[in-house]
Amino acid sequence: AESAGQAWRLGSARRKMELSGGEVTLATWSHAGFGAKQAKLRADKKIEYVSCNGDACEKLCFTPLPTDGGRTFKPSAALVLRLITQPAACAFLPLAGLLCFIVFVPTVPGDALAALLDSPFASGAQLCVWAWRLLLAAHCLEAALATAVLLSPPLSAPLSAVLAWAPLVLVVGFPVTSRVLKLRSAEVRAKRRA
């Protein structure tokens, strides 16, 4: 009975050390960026992926670190930096900041910028307020979607991971939401293969 219990605990520990499809994807994004393709866990617990630069592609591998996301699905600091510096995020954040400035800071330059949007149906200031409300509603809906995806199977991420991803979705929006959806897709594909 002693050896059977030890064997069960050892098998359980091995399963805990194996990374799922979403966890492999998250670690690869943290380590190599979003351009890494075909990430998979090797038998020696290293993650192998394909990196392409122009026409030249090569297989690379790395040992995942505990800070790469692991079982928690939390984005690492490197991944957060990658998420907020994606081209779509870099284009969106200054525009959202400008819209926020126009709506919430009553100044002559802000009013002049809003006046550029004047139309026969509404003033530029009114259009900016409605655009701000629409943007806020869209980001809140995206955060709710990302929360639902993270908490539901197959990811079943802990609440701490949701609290790490939700502010990113609220600030950046769809570029981050799409990454959460890709995590789920990677997890679903890995479970189908298993």
mmCIF file of all heavy atoms in Angstrom, residues 19 22-28 30-31 64-77 79 158 161 165 183:
data_model
loop_
_atom_site.group_PDB
_atom_site.id
_atom_site.type_symbol
_atom_site.label_atom_id
_atom_site.label_comp_id
_atom_site.label_asym_id
_atom_site.label_seq_id
_atom_site.Cartn_x
_atom_site.Cartn_y
_atom_site.Cartn_z
ATOM 1 N N LEU A 19 2.940 21.185 -18.793
ATOM 2 C CA LEU A 19 2.222 22.397 -19.153
ATOM 3 C C LEU A 19 1.153 22.068 -20.187
ATOM 4 O O LEU A 19 1.360 21.238 -21.066
ATOM 5 C CB LEU A 19 3.182 23.432 -19.724
ATOM 6 C CG LEU A 19 4.247 23.967 -18.777
ATOM 7 C CD1 LEU A 19 5.203 24.878 -19.531
ATOM 8 C CD2 LEU A 19 3.620 24.710 -17.629
ATOM 9 N N GLY A 22 -2.371 26.049 -23.527
ATOM 10 C CA GLY A 22 -2.435 27.479 -23.246
ATOM 11 C C GLY A 22 -1.226 27.964 -22.476
ATOM 12 O O GLY A 22 -0.710 29.059 -22.708
ATOM 13 N N GLU A 23 -0.755 27.138 -21.549
ATOM 14 C CA GLU A 23 0.415 27.516 -20.752
ATOM 15 C C GLU A 23 1.681 27.549 -21.599
ATOM 16 O O GLU A 23 2.533 28.413 -21.421
ATOM 17 C CB GLU A 23 0.566 26.550 -19.579
ATOM 18 C CG GLU A 23 -0.574 26.662 -18.597
ATOM 19 C CD GLU A 23 -0.737 25.448 -17.706
ATOM 20 O OE1 GLU A 23 -0.137 24.396 -17.993
ATOM 21 O OE2 GLU A 23 -1.487 25.558 -16.731
ATOM 22 N N VAL A 24 1.798 26.612 -22.538
ATOM 23 C CA VAL A 24 2.939 26.611 -23.463
ATOM 24 C C VAL A 24 2.895 27.865 -24.331
ATOM 25 O O VAL A 24 3.912 28.530 -24.543
ATOM 26 C CB VAL A 24 2.935 25.326 -24.322
ATOM 27 C CG1 VAL A 24 3.929 25.431 -25.467
ATOM 28 C CG2 VAL A 24 3.249 24.116 -23.465
ATOM 29 N N THR A 25 1.708 28.204 -24.827
ATOM 30 C CA THR A 25 1.550 29.409 -25.645
ATOM 31 C C THR A 25 1.899 30.654 -24.861
ATOM 32 O O THR A 25 2.626 31.530 -25.343
ATOM 33 C CB THR A 25 0.104 29.499 -26.177
ATOM 34 O OG1 THR A 25 -0.182 28.325 -26.932
ATOM 35 C CG2 THR A 25 -0.105 30.722 -27.030
ATOM 36 N N LEU A 26 1.420 30.752 -23.629
ATOM 37 C CA LEU A 26 1.691 31.914 -22.779
ATOM 38 C C LEU A 26 3.183 32.051 -22.502
ATOM 39 O O LEU A 26 3.749 33.146 -22.596
ATOM 40 C CB LEU A 26 0.906 31.784 -21.473
ATOM 41 C CG LEU A 26 0.857 32.990 -20.560
ATOM 42 C CD1 LEU A 26 0.165 34.145 -21.249
ATOM 43 C CD2 LEU A 26 0.139 32.649 -19.277
ATOM 44 N N ALA A 27 3.845 30.941 -22.173
ATOM 45 C CA ALA A 27 5.287 30.977 -21.911
ATOM 46 C C ALA A 27 6.057 31.363 -23.167
ATOM 47 O O ALA A 27 7.033 32.120 -23.093
ATOM 48 C CB ALA A 27 5.754 29.622 -21.390
ATOM 49 N N THR A 28 5.617 30.873 -24.316
ATOM 50 C CA THR A 28 6.292 31.208 -25.576
ATOM 51 C C THR A 28 6.135 32.685 -25.898
ATOM 52 O O THR A 28 7.083 33.340 -26.320
ATOM 53 C CB THR A 28 5.751 30.341 -26.726
ATOM 54 O OG1 THR A 28 5.887 28.967 -26.363
ATOM 55 C CG2 THR A 28 6.509 30.587 -28.016
ATOM 56 N N SER A 30 5.729 35.058 -23.733
ATOM 57 C CA SER A 30 6.569 35.789 -22.772
ATOM 58 C C SER A 30 8.030 35.760 -23.185
ATOM 59 O O SER A 30 8.742 36.748 -23.058
ATOM 60 C CB SER A 30 6.433 35.184 -21.377
ATOM 61 O OG SER A 30 5.172 35.408 -20.840
ATOM 62 N N HIS A 31 8.471 34.606 -23.655
ATOM 63 C CA HIS A 31 9.887 34.427 -23.971
ATOM 64 C C HIS A 31 10.266 34.957 -25.354
ATOM 65 O O HIS A 31 11.282 35.630 -25.496
ATOM 66 C CB HIS A 31 10.267 32.941 -23.882
ATOM 67 C CG HIS A 31 11.690 32.666 -24.175
ATOM 68 N ND1 HIS A 31 12.679 32.834 -23.239
ATOM 69 C CD2 HIS A 31 12.313 32.261 -25.311
ATOM 70 C CE1 HIS A 31 13.839 32.544 -23.773
ATOM 71 N NE2 HIS A 31 13.648 32.186 -25.035
ATOM 72 N N PRO A 64 10.995 26.904 -19.810
ATOM 73 C CA PRO A 64 10.052 27.886 -19.254
ATOM 74 C C PRO A 64 10.362 28.199 -17.803
ATOM 75 O O PRO A 64 10.738 27.323 -17.028
ATOM 76 C CB PRO A 64 8.691 27.214 -19.406
ATOM 77 C CG PRO A 64 8.966 25.775 -19.585
ATOM 78 C CD PRO A 64 10.341 25.644 -20.152
ATOM 79 N N LEU A 65 10.217 29.454 -17.460
ATOM 80 C CA LEU A 65 10.445 29.919 -16.099
ATOM 81 C C LEU A 65 9.117 29.997 -15.352
ATOM 82 O O LEU A 65 8.063 30.148 -15.972
ATOM 83 C CB LEU A 65 11.090 31.308 -16.127
ATOM 84 C CG LEU A 65 12.421 31.416 -16.862
ATOM 85 C CD1 LEU A 65 12.839 32.873 -16.974
ATOM 86 C CD2 LEU A 65 13.486 30.612 -16.134
ATOM 87 N N PRO A 66 9.149 29.939 -14.026
ATOM 88 C CA PRO A 66 7.893 30.090 -13.266
ATOM 89 C C PRO A 66 7.213 31.430 -13.532
ATOM 90 O O PRO A 66 6.003 31.549 -13.421
ATOM 91 C CB PRO A 66 8.339 29.983 -11.809
ATOM 92 C CG PRO A 66 9.639 29.263 -11.854
ATOM 93 C CD PRO A 66 10.277 29.617 -13.168
ATOM 94 N N THR A 67 7.991 32.446 -13.919
ATOM 95 C CA THR A 67 7.413 33.769 -14.174
ATOM 96 C C THR A 67 6.792 33.892 -15.555
ATOM 97 O O THR A 67 6.230 34.924 -15.888
ATOM 98 C CB THR A 67 8.494 34.854 -14.026
ATOM 99 O OG1 THR A 67 9.567 34.540 -14.919
ATOM 100 C CG2 THR A 67 8.998 34.937 -12.613
ATOM 101 N N ASP A 68 6.870 32.848 -16.382
ATOM 102 C CA ASP A 68 6.313 32.887 -17.733
ATOM 103 C C ASP A 68 4.809 32.649 -17.778
ATOM 104 O O ASP A 68 4.227 32.589 -18.844
ATOM 105 C CB ASP A 68 6.999 31.848 -18.628
ATOM 106 C CG ASP A 68 8.399 32.261 -19.027
ATOM 107 O OD1 ASP A 68 8.706 33.452 -18.963
ATOM 108 O OD2 ASP A 68 9.181 31.374 -19.403
ATOM 109 N N GLY A 69 4.164 32.478 -16.681
ATOM 110 C CA GLY A 69 2.719 32.247 -16.665
ATOM 111 C C GLY A 69 2.373 30.948 -15.984
ATOM 112 O O GLY A 69 1.589 30.928 -15.054
ATOM 113 N N GLY A 70 2.986 29.858 -16.435
ATOM 114 C CA GLY A 70 2.788 28.559 -15.802
ATOM 115 C C GLY A 70 1.341 28.205 -15.564
ATOM 116 O O GLY A 70 0.487 28.461 -16.387
ATOM 117 N N ARG A 71 1.056 27.593 -14.421
ATOM 118 C CA ARG A 71 -0.295 27.138 -14.091
ATOM 119 C C ARG A 71 -1.244 28.287 -13.762
ATOM 120 O O ARG A 71 -2.443 28.089 -13.682
ATOM 121 C CB ARG A 71 -0.243 26.190 -12.896
ATOM 122 C CG ARG A 71 0.302 24.853 -13.262
ATOM 123 C CD ARG A 71 -0.843 23.943 -13.600
ATOM 124 N NE ARG A 71 -0.357 22.689 -14.115
ATOM 125 C CZ ARG A 71 -0.792 22.144 -15.224
ATOM 126 N NH1 ARG A 71 -1.699 22.719 -15.939
ATOM 127 N NH2 ARG A 71 -0.316 20.992 -15.630
ATOM 128 N N THR A 72 -0.729 29.469 -13.549
ATOM 129 C CA THR A 72 -1.586 30.559 -13.095
ATOM 130 C C THR A 72 -2.245 31.323 -14.230
ATOM 131 O O THR A 72 -3.211 32.035 -14.019
ATOM 132 C CB THR A 72 -0.783 31.565 -12.258
ATOM 133 O OG1 THR A 72 0.218 32.150 -13.101
ATOM 134 C CG2 THR A 72 -0.146 30.899 -11.068
ATOM 135 N N PHE A 73 -1.713 31.223 -15.441
ATOM 136 C CA PHE A 73 -2.173 31.987 -16.601
ATOM 137 C C PHE A 73 -2.014 33.488 -16.411
ATOM 138 O O PHE A 73 -2.623 34.271 -17.121
ATOM 139 C CB PHE A 73 -3.629 31.670 -16.960
ATOM 140 C CG PHE A 73 -3.801 30.350 -17.636
ATOM 141 C CD1 PHE A 73 -4.330 29.273 -16.951
ATOM 142 C CD2 PHE A 73 -3.429 30.178 -18.953
ATOM 143 C CE1 PHE A 73 -4.479 28.052 -17.581
ATOM 144 C CE2 PHE A 73 -3.587 28.965 -19.580
ATOM 145 C CZ PHE A 73 -4.113 27.893 -18.892
ATOM 146 N N LYS A 74 -1.191 33.926 -15.456
ATOM 147 C CA LYS A 74 -0.944 35.352 -15.280
ATOM 148 C C LYS A 74 0.062 35.817 -16.323
ATOM 149 O O LYS A 74 1.040 35.132 -16.585
ATOM 150 C CB LYS A 74 -0.355 35.638 -13.898
ATOM 151 C CG LYS A 74 -1.320 35.560 -12.772
ATOM 152 C CD LYS A 74 -0.622 35.956 -11.490
ATOM 153 C CE LYS A 74 -1.438 35.610 -10.295
ATOM 154 N NZ LYS A 74 -0.696 35.827 -9.050
ATOM 155 N N PRO A 75 -0.150 36.986 -16.909
ATOM 156 C CA PRO A 75 0.835 37.494 -17.867
ATOM 157 C C PRO A 75 2.095 37.961 -17.126
ATOM 158 O O PRO A 75 2.004 38.623 -16.092
ATOM 159 C CB PRO A 75 0.116 38.662 -18.538
ATOM 160 C CG PRO A 75 -0.930 39.081 -17.572
ATOM 161 C CD PRO A 75 -1.312 37.856 -16.787
ATOM 162 N N SER A 76 3.255 37.612 -17.655
ATOM 163 C CA SER A 76 4.513 38.062 -17.050
ATOM 164 C C SER A 76 4.730 39.530 -17.390
ATOM 165 O O SER A 76 4.041 40.097 -18.241
ATOM 166 C CB SER A 76 5.676 37.227 -17.589
ATOM 167 O OG SER A 76 5.840 37.486 -18.972
ATOM 168 N N ALA A 77 5.707 40.142 -16.736
ATOM 169 C CA ALA A 77 6.025 41.546 -17.017
ATOM 170 C C ALA A 77 6.447 41.719 -18.473
ATOM 171 O O ALA A 77 6.076 42.698 -19.127
ATOM 172 C CB ALA A 77 7.118 42.028 -16.074
ATOM 173 N N LEU A 79 5.479 39.902 -20.999
ATOM 174 C CA LEU A 79 4.290 39.767 -21.833
ATOM 175 C C LEU A 79 3.421 41.020 -21.770
ATOM 176 O O LEU A 79 2.885 41.457 -22.791
ATOM 177 C CB LEU A 79 3.480 38.533 -21.425
ATOM 178 C CG LEU A 79 2.241 38.245 -22.257
ATOM 179 C CD1 LEU A 79 2.600 38.083 -23.731
ATOM 180 C CD2 LEU A 79 1.532 37.016 -21.747
ATOM 181 N N PRO A 158 -7.205 30.892 -12.291
ATOM 182 C CA PRO A 158 -7.571 31.430 -10.979
ATOM 183 C C PRO A 158 -7.974 32.908 -11.080
ATOM 184 O O PRO A 158 -7.655 33.585 -12.063
ATOM 185 C CB PRO A 158 -6.295 31.257 -10.156
ATOM 186 C CG PRO A 158 -5.200 31.138 -11.140
ATOM 187 C CD PRO A 158 -5.797 30.563 -12.378
ATOM 188 N N ALA A 161 -5.373 35.540 -11.987
ATOM 189 C CA ALA A 161 -5.064 35.714 -13.412
ATOM 190 C C ALA A 161 -6.077 36.641 -14.070
ATOM 191 O O ALA A 161 -5.717 37.492 -14.884
ATOM 192 C CB ALA A 161 -5.037 34.373 -14.115
ATOM 193 N N TRP A 165 -5.368 40.116 -16.124
ATOM 194 C CA TRP A 165 -5.726 40.341 -17.523
ATOM 195 C C TRP A 165 -6.767 41.445 -17.701
ATOM 196 O O TRP A 165 -6.725 42.184 -18.683
ATOM 197 C CB TRP A 165 -6.253 39.054 -18.155
ATOM 198 C CG TRP A 165 -5.195 38.075 -18.527
ATOM 199 C CD1 TRP A 165 -4.786 37.003 -17.798
ATOM 200 C CD2 TRP A 165 -4.402 38.057 -19.717
ATOM 201 N NE1 TRP A 165 -3.789 36.319 -18.458
ATOM 202 C CE2 TRP A 165 -3.544 36.949 -19.639
ATOM 203 C CE3 TRP A 165 -4.337 38.874 -20.839
ATOM 204 C CZ2 TRP A 165 -2.632 36.641 -20.649
ATOM 205 C CZ3 TRP A 165 -3.436 38.565 -21.842
ATOM 206 C CH2 TRP A 165 -2.598 37.468 -21.737
ATOM 207 N N LEU A 183 -5.305 32.009 -26.370
ATOM 208 C CA LEU A 183 -4.931 31.101 -25.281
ATOM 209 C C LEU A 183 -5.954 29.983 -25.160
ATOM 210 O O LEU A 183 -5.600 28.812 -25.017
ATOM 211 C CB LEU A 183 -4.879 31.852 -23.944
ATOM 212 C CG LEU A 183 -3.603 32.550 -23.567
ATOM 213 C CD1 LEU A 183 -3.785 33.255 -22.228
ATOM 214 C CD2 LEU A 183 -2.448 31.602 -23.509
#
